[in-house]
Amino acid sequence: MDARLRAAKAAGFELAEFHLWRDKPVDALAQALNETGMRLTGVCVDPRRSIVDPAERAELVTAVRETIAATAKLGKPDLIVASGFRVEGLSEEEHFANAVAALRAVADVAEEAGVTLLLEPLNTQLFAAMYLVSTKLGLDLVEAVNSPNLRLLYDVWHSAVMGEDMAQVLAGRIHLVAHVQVADMPARNEPGTGSVDWAKVTQTLADLGYSGAIGLEYFPTLPMDQSLALTRQKLDC
């Protein structure tokens, strides 16, 4: 994994992100970050626990605390939180209230540590029973918690799968978005291999005022150098 950070640096990248951390060589990653000057922008809270099931709330708080401690040597990257699955028998109002309570609890931990949490909406195509599959709902939760240390991760692919209008769902709320990830439709491959209008995506982000990082979360169909070249062309970066 540390070799991949070095390869990313050699390819001209300054930022990186990855999924879970417990199976990663954290010390080696820290050394690679220090030696290359790269910055880690995101890591998933590990283990993943539900924000809507009260029975998992204590475990969620513990997971956030442990992830903060483990990734401190990686430069205190943002930590990605998924919602977990719906709980049978709970109303929409109860799901929302449980999510706000859980996110408030972990936001308190994040505030104390000086770390930002990123709440990520997914989609029903991959996760039929997932609670958070709507950008609007994700933004509503971030607003309800009202913590500077809780923001949204907006994934263009998940949003497109759900048929959302990007400009519409983000209008007036881009200040709540701290990270964006991209992949093309329909197969989640590199930009330029599917149906997404990337010129429109990048222009919409610029028009809304987004100036943060864009993560490449896709399955490449080309050799990596060609895949990255196509992606840079389509994202004009």
Side-chain angles (χ1 to χ4, degrees):
M1 186 70 190
D2 54 312
R4 297 184 71 178
L5 284 177
R6 299 178 197 280
K9 176 67 174 183
F13 289 88
E14 300 295 332
L15 308 175
E17 60 182 304
F18 61 82
H19 193 211
L20 303 173
W21 60 269
R22 291 183 186 270
D23 60 344
K24 306 294 189 302
V26 175
D27 289 338
L29 288 171
Q31 183 176 349
L33 289 170
N34 289 334
E35 292 177 0
T36 62
M38 291 191 69
R39 182 168 65 86
L40 200 61
T41 61
V43 179
C44 290
V45 170
D46 184 8
R48 288 168 290 191
R49 290 294 182 264
S50 173
I51 67 172
V52 291
D53 187 346
E56 294 190 17
R57 189 170 303 160
E59 293 179 1
L60 172 65
V61 173
T62 297
V64 169
R65 289 189 184 280
E66 291 180 351
T67 300
I68 288 173
T71 58
K73 64 181 66 177
L74 302 178
K76 290 189 174 183
D78 294 349
L79 304 181
I80 301 167
V81 180
S83 70
F85 300 106
R86 289 180 173 274
V87 179
E88 186 176 355
L90 293 186
S91 67
E92 289 300 316
E93 293 76 15
E94 289 169 324
H95 275 93
F96 190 87
N98 287 344
V100 170
L103 291 169
R104 179 68 262 176
V106 294
D108 287 344
V109 175
E111 289 175 17
E112 181 181 344
V115 170
T116 297
L117 302 177
L118 300 177
L119 180 63
E120 182 178 16
L122 302 179
N123 72 75
T124 54
Q125 176 177 298
L126 289 182
F127 309 98
M130 188 67 62
Y131 169 63
L132 183 54
V133 291
S134 157
T135 298
K136 179 185 181 303
L137 177 57
L139 291 167
D140 289 347
L141 287 167
V142 171
E143 283 190 336
V145 174
N146 192 28
S147 166
N149 293 70
L150 177 66
R151 290 291 181 261
L152 193 85
L153 189 165
Y154 177 74
D155 187 299
V156 172
W157 183 74
H158 287 306
S159 182
V161 169
M162 295 305 295
E164 296 178 343
D165 182 306
M166 177 182 176
Q168 183 178 38
V169 296
L170 297 179
R173 306 174 92 181
I174 197 68
H175 61 288
L176 301 175
V177 176
H179 192 55
V180 170
Q181 292 177 337
V182 298
D184 217 327
M185 285 286 287
R188 207 177 189 178
N189 302 129
E190 59 266 77
T193 57
S195 60
V196 173
D197 183 342
W198 291 104
K200 183 177 180 181
V201 168
T202 55
Q203 188 61 56
T204 298
L205 289 173
D207 290 345
L208 291 171
Y210 181 75
S211 58
I214 295 179
L216 311 181
E217 192 180 50
Y218 64 72
F219 301 109
T221 63
L222 301 168
M224 190 52 67
D225 58 341
Q226 297 176 36
S227 176
L228 293 175
L230 178 60
T231 298
R232 281 178 161 137
Q233 175 190 347
K234 291 301 178 181
L235 299 181
D236 192 25
C237 62

